[in-house]
Amino acid sequence: MEEDSVQDVDPDFEPRSRPRSCTWPNVSTVKPEGEDVGETAPGIVLAPGQGKDADSRGGATSGVGVVTPRKGGSRRNAWGNQSYAELITQAIESSPEKRLTLSQIYDWMVNTVPYFKDKGDSNSSVGWKNSIRHNLSLHSKFLRVQNEASGKSSWWTLNPEAGRSAKESRQRHSMDNCSKLLKSRAHARQAKAARAAALRQREAAPEGAPPDPPSQSHPGRSPSPHGYLDNTDVWTSFRSRTGSNASSLSGRRSPVATALEDEEAPMEEPLVAGALAESSVAELDLSARLTLIAGQQGGTSPQGSSTAPPTCLHSMPTLVPSESSFLSLCSTQPSAPPAQAAPLPSPRWVGPPCCFGPGSQDVTYGAHLPSGMGALFPGGHVSGIQGASHLPNLPMAQLDSSLGTQGFSLKQLQALAGHSRGRPPQAGAGSCFPMPETAGGHIPFLGNQDQLPTDLDADMFTENLDCDIDYIINSDLLDGEAVDFNFDMIPPVKQGCHGNLQDSFHNWVPS
DNA sequence: GGGCCTAAACACT
DNA sequence: AGTGTTTAGGCCC
Ligand SMILES: [Mg+2]
């Protein structure tokens, strides 16, 4: 496994240095110095096209004189011609399980790419690590899968469906309308892919086995002899961290959050996404809404709700309620510990084959499937990338099946829109979920229904929602394509996602 | 104009 | 502090 990859890494890998601080295109920077490390590193064979000449990507200005970018050959970056995305891809592919945590990716870089070898310290690694994270988030080809083990960061896997064309993989956020749409679609696709990835992994992994690959062993992680090849070590080294998926759950809005965003509801919902997936629809707010619905079923958590980040709330954008917020809330909820069942979330869940993690915010895949797949995916939750990280917690089983068979009709949707704005019907998946003992599994019903919303501008929400839905329905759903979601299993129970949300939904009573 | 790199603001845990 | 997500500026092709 890894071996190859290693080698793949470009021949140019010799480190070419560039002051990290310089963010500007290299041109000048890189080139001039370029070479600190050896331009040609010993041993490294330059690829045919590449010479060592230019490192710079730039050329443009070459004012400085420096190197001229040779066309074909120059290396685009200080480390070679590969982009971060490519490097990350190699790293992941080189791992036995085809998935790595962020820290493992870092380790791979340091151990495998000469340029980064001496850039592992905190000071010098800030920039490239930031870039790694950025690339992971940005490209749809990288899917984040929740790491079942508590305390560990998410697994990053490759999305087979995405990617090929850089275009798809890359999610641009320029926010112009066009981009948005594209982005949304991409998200939808991603979510879908994430689901698939989770399933794949789940299947692949033996259930009893420890979800994670290996162990942590790796004390001093030895760089392999040569550094390269042995990346295995790398894989095993984990950094314990607390679960981090922060971003995913919360409705965190981008720094800039503007009103514009609204439309972009994060697309998580595998549900929606998955369902609609390719259909154009997925992308829109619809998703948000759907999510909402879905989320509910999950159960809700009592406290969790309360805990939930208020951020979302505030950030409501003007136009449309921030769906994101919405979503976030909902999705978040699920993660909360089941109200009754598990009083306290203890990090580990026992027993049942569920994959709920205590803090999982992402989709939970693990509902234990009746027969076929008993095992849960090691990393129980998958998140669709980007915004999508928040998924409703529909049990996978349900999702899958539902997607396939049952459908959510337009009418239903409309109905929903029309009447209610409120709370979505809950899914009654009770049976599907085994409860994790401790953790925050989402228990479908148990949730506290009593939970009341704390506060919220429900009104605002509501109103906005209306618009949205209509809009969505009109514009997207009607378009057609496959609109088949199905939430039938959702009984009209009431539970809100969140306390707050509930409020918003308050009105919506399933008559 | 797309692809990439880099920096940085934010959010969460 | 580590993770993740997003935006933004800028160069290169
Ligand atoms: Mg991604």
Side-chain angles (χ1 to χ4, degrees):
Chain A
M1 26 178 120
E2 348 211 297
E3 319 101 39
D4 291 350
S5 51
V6 173
Q7 292 314 3
D8 297 358
V9 176
D10 252 356
D12 327 356
F13 264 5
E14 25 184 326
R16 262 180 167 217
S17 59
R18 176 187 186 180
R20 235 242 85 183
S21 44
C22 168
T23 103
W24 302 130
N26 296 308
V27 179
S28 31
T29 1
V30 173
K31 353 175 138 197
E33 22 189 351
E35 354 320 346
D36 34 343
V37 180
E39 283 272 28
T40 345
I44 291 180
V45 180
L46 296 179
Q50 2 205 299
K52 47 172 0 0
D53 41 328
D55 14 341
S56 50
R57 334 136 77 353
T61 37
S62 26
V64 181
V66 183
V67 178
T68 0
R70 255 184 193 344
K71 78 168 325 43
S74 29
R75 42 171 88 165
R76 296 185 300 178
N77 301 301
W79 55 87
N81 286 326
Q82 293 181 303
S83 63
Y84 278 116
E86 291 168 328
L87 290 175
I88 294 167
T89 298
Q90 283 182 28
I92 294 171
E93 289 179 339
S94 70
S95 68
E97 305 202 2
K98 305 293 185 247
R99 64 179 184 182
L100 293 176
T101 58
L102 179 63
S103 63
Q104 289 174 325
I105 292 171
Y106 292 157
D107 289 341
W108 183 91
M109 294 289 197
V110 172
N111 294 325
T112 310
V113 184
Y115 175 77
F116 297 107
K117 280 212 161 98
D118 60 343
K119 295 179 178 55
D121 56 289
S122 52
N123 295 325
S124 52
S125 64
V126 176
W128 64 264
K129 285 182 176 177
N130 186 4
S131 290
I132 295 291
R133 293 192 301 274
H134 166 74
N135 275 266
L136 288 169
S137 292
L138 181 66
H139 297 281
S140 58
K141 73 188 285 188
F142 302 122
L143 298 178
R144 188 167 62 80
V145 176
Q146 163 115 35
N147 189 329
E148 70 284 1
S150 64
K152 289 186 177 177
S153 60
S154 307
W155 289 116
W156 284 99
T157 62
L158 296 175
N159 175 358
E161 300 178 32
R164 309 190 179 72
S165 61
K167 250 187 193 166
E168 293 185 29
S169 176
R170 186 154 201 138
Q171 303 166 336
R172 255 304 192 188
H173 297 289
S174 39
M175 297 301 115
D176 38 52
N177 297 324
C178 238
S179 304
K180 290 184 183 181
L181 179 62
L182 292 177
K183 181 182 166 189
S184 321
R185 291 185 177 176
H187 279 287
R189 259 177 247 131
Q190 263 190 307
K192 181 183 178 184
R195 275 197 295 143
L199 282 176
R200 266 181 260 129
Q201 293 198 4
R202 194 208 286 162
E203 293 176 2
E207 54 185 274
D212 298 342
S215 41
Q216 50 284 21
S217 42
H218 110 16
R221 103 230 191 79
S222 60
S224 28
H226 198 39
Y228 289 38
L229 311 187
D230 270 316
N231 304 326
T232 4
D233 256 16
V234 176
W235 311 151
T236 53
S237 60
F238 294 111
R239 249 177 217 154
S240 58
R241 210 171 18 90
T242 62
S244 62
N245 308 334
S247 42
S248 47
L249 345 177
S250 53
R252 151 177 156 282
R253 287 187 98 38
S254 63
V256 181
T258 59
L260 299 181
E261 317 195 18
D262 30 337
E263 61 158 7
E264 286 256 5
M267 333 223 83
E268 29 280 24
E269 37 325 353
L271 209 176
V272 176
L276 304 182
E278 322 268 334
S279 68
S280 46
V281 181
E283 18 253 77
L284 303 179
D285 304 355
L286 173 50
S287 340
R289 246 135 243 115
L290 290 177
T291 305
L292 218 135
I293 297 172
Q296 309 254 341
Q297 73 160 29
T300 23
S301 47
Q303 314 193 333
S305 7
S306 39
T307 331
T311 33
C312 313
L313 300 181
H314 329 117
S315 50
M316 283 192 55
T318 43
L319 292 182
V320 176
S322 54
E323 320 193 11
S324 345
S325 318
F326 231 149
L327 289 180
S328 318
L329 289 178
C330 293
S331 26
T332 305
Q333 297 271 331
S335 16
Q340 317 178 343
L344 295 183
S346 69
R348 293 187 161 305
W349 52 284
V350 183
C354 296
C355 3
F356 306 85
S360 55
Q361 16 243 334
D362 296 342
V363 173
T364 303
Y365 274 104
H368 98 351
L369 303 181
S371 42
M373 357 202 37
L376 291 187
F377 173 8
H381 317 235
V382 176
S383 71
I385 318 167
Q386 297 218 327
S389 1
H390 334 289
L391 298 178
N393 69 328
L394 274 181
M396 265 316 241
Q398 287 191 335
L399 284 177
D400 291 348
S401 58
S402 33
L403 289 178
T405 32
Q406 326 172 1
F408 189 62
S409 66
L410 259 183
K411 296 188 175 179
Q412 289 181 293
L413 265 183
Q414 290 188 326
L416 256 177
H419 317 289
S420 66
R421 346 178 133 263
R423 53 176 53 207
Q426 313 246 331
S431 51
C432 301
F433 297 78
M435 309 196 87
E437 295 219 347
T438 53
H442 321 341
I443 297 168
F445 287 121
L446 310 183
N448 13 340
Q449 314 160 319
D450 349 343
Q451 266 221 343
L452 286 189
T454 36
D455 44 306
L456 212 25
D457 311 327
D459 301 356
M460 208 173 160
F461 247 137
T462 320
E463 306 234 334
N464 292 333
L465 274 183
D466 285 352
C467 295
D468 246 347
I469 288 195
D470 290 342
Y471 170 86
I472 293 169
I473 291 174
N474 294 329
S475 61
D476 293 316
L477 290 181
L478 296 185
D479 284 344
E481 293 210 72
V483 180
D484 239 10
F485 318 90
N486 83 58
F487 298 115
D488 32 34
M489 64 263 257
I490 308 183
V493 174
K494 78 179 323 170
Q495 277 184 339
C497 280
H498 226 307
N500 295 339
L501 283 184
Q502 278 192 333
D503 282 341
S504 353
F505 293 72
H506 241 9
N507 316 328
W508 191 64
V509 178
S511 46

